[in-house]
Amino acid sequence: MMIQLRNITKIYPNGFEAIKSLNLSVQKGDIMGIIGYSGAGKSTLIRLINRLESPSTGDIFVDGIDMVNLKEHALQKMRQKIGMIFQHFNLLASRNVFGNVAFGLEIAKWKKRDIAARVEELLDLVGLSDKANFYPEQLSGGQKQRVAIARALANYPQILLCDEATSALDTKTTKSILGLIADIQQKLGLTIVLITHQMEVVREICNKMCVMSNGEIVERGNVEQVFAIPKHAVTQELLSFLPALSSEEILKQNNKEVYKILFVGRYIHDPLISEVIKKFHININILAGNIEALSTTKIGHLFVSFSGEEYRVKEAIHYLEQKGLIVEKI
Ligand code: ADP
């Protein structure tokens, strides 16, 4: 087990109990998503892993090392094995990209020449080789997070902690940063723990997940399991905010021809799909779908694949179009 938290409680000096008797195991190579609303205790939890916070009771083991009883010097050494990135990047404004990535290596007393080589390698890894001389204020949010990732990986950590790492980024940049993290995880075999309030982040890159509420883990498991059968009310609610998959993403997951069916207004209430299945003796596999309530009407999208005799599928599509639905191949 790469990370193990046993019977952890965390009571802040003002008496507030932010973590209540919590157990967590993260295996080597896992991408563990910890999701929950603001105030659930996620930041406290992730900061316990690298001992930026100390627990009030309980044990923390990282790669077999007892983190709670480490002396300061040994703790510093251990922290080098644990990289961390943050929502607001935490770059040094007075240092350029090279200087930011080099910072931890300077502190670890690397030789100048080794630092230069390592920084070059890292900037290549995060796709910023041409930005070494730029200052943070000259970079986009996504680029800043890439610098932060390079910095976090500088000392060859085994673990990467991500504290709402994409929460300050737009949807497209979020995707590219998550893509980069997944890519790096594969290449380096890292163990990742990320905290987020967005289910789409968990859906995009995690294999395991925990749902936190009021300082406790209220649900946990493989991502597919929890998404398929969410048991706790908080999980169900968080999932209900999940944005629909884009057509691209649905296509990526299917090798069959995919159609998008658009319903507007009254058609939403008609059982047209089951009608078409019976009438034309075909099968319709529903891949994704949602209904949006606009202020004036409702719009539904369904992503489906048809199977059956080709001419029957054609007739069925024609029938749906005659009923006023829009059917397009994507
Ligand atoms: P999250 O990351 O899920 O938003 P946090 O771990 O930041 O949750 O906070 C969990 C709870 O602990 C919150 O109710 C917060 O107010 C409280 N808390 C966080 N830090 C402190 C502190 N230093 N002193 C007292 N209470 C704190």
Side-chain angles (χ1 to χ4, degrees), residues 10-19 36-47 53 163-164 195 212 215:
K10 172 68 187 179
I11 302 167
Y12 280 113
N14 67 355
F16 186 81
E17 192 175 15
I19 303 280
Y37 291 116
S38 176
K42 306 182 297 294
S43 304
T44 305
L45 174 61
I46 205 168
R47 291 160 59 83
E53 294 286 355
D163 184 350
E164 295 279 4
I195 63 174
M212 274 195 89

Side-chain angles (χ1 to χ4, degrees), residues 171 198-201 203 238-246 249 290:
T171 316
Q198 297 171 298
M199 273 291 189
E200 55 268 40
V201 170
R203 174 175 71 190
L238 286 163
L239 276 170
S240 74
F241 300 136
L242 193 61
L245 288 170
S246 69
E249 287 163 323
N290 72 314

Side-chain angles (χ1 to χ4, degrees), residues 226-292:
V226 176
F227 271 58
I229 311 170
K231 297 197 183 86
H232 196 276
V234 170
T235 319
Q236 290 167 356
E237 191 175 67
L238 286 163
L239 276 170
S240 74
F241 300 136
L242 193 61
L245 288 170
S246 69
S247 354
E248 271 175 336
E249 287 163 323
I250 291 162
L251 270 179
K252 219 165 52 186
Q253 294 171 2
N254 289 279
N255 41 18
K256 278 191 152 182
E257 283 184 352
V258 177
Y259 288 82
K260 178 174 173 180
I261 303 178
L262 182 69
F263 306 70
V264 183
R266 71 177 190 84
Y267 298 106
I268 283 187
H269 304 292
D270 295 351
L272 280 171
I273 297 295
S274 58
E275 191 182 316
V276 157
I277 291 173
K278 284 185 213 145
K279 205 173 163 84
F280 297 95
H281 306 285
I282 57 168
N283 274 318
I284 299 183
N285 188 11
I286 297 175
L287 307 169
N290 72 314
I291 296 178
E292 316 266 5

Side-chain angles (χ1 to χ4, degrees), residues 96-110:
N96 64 15
V97 167
F98 183 98
N100 268 283
V101 179
F103 189 65
L105 302 176
E106 290 169 14
I107 290 183
K109 302 215 159 49
W110 280 42

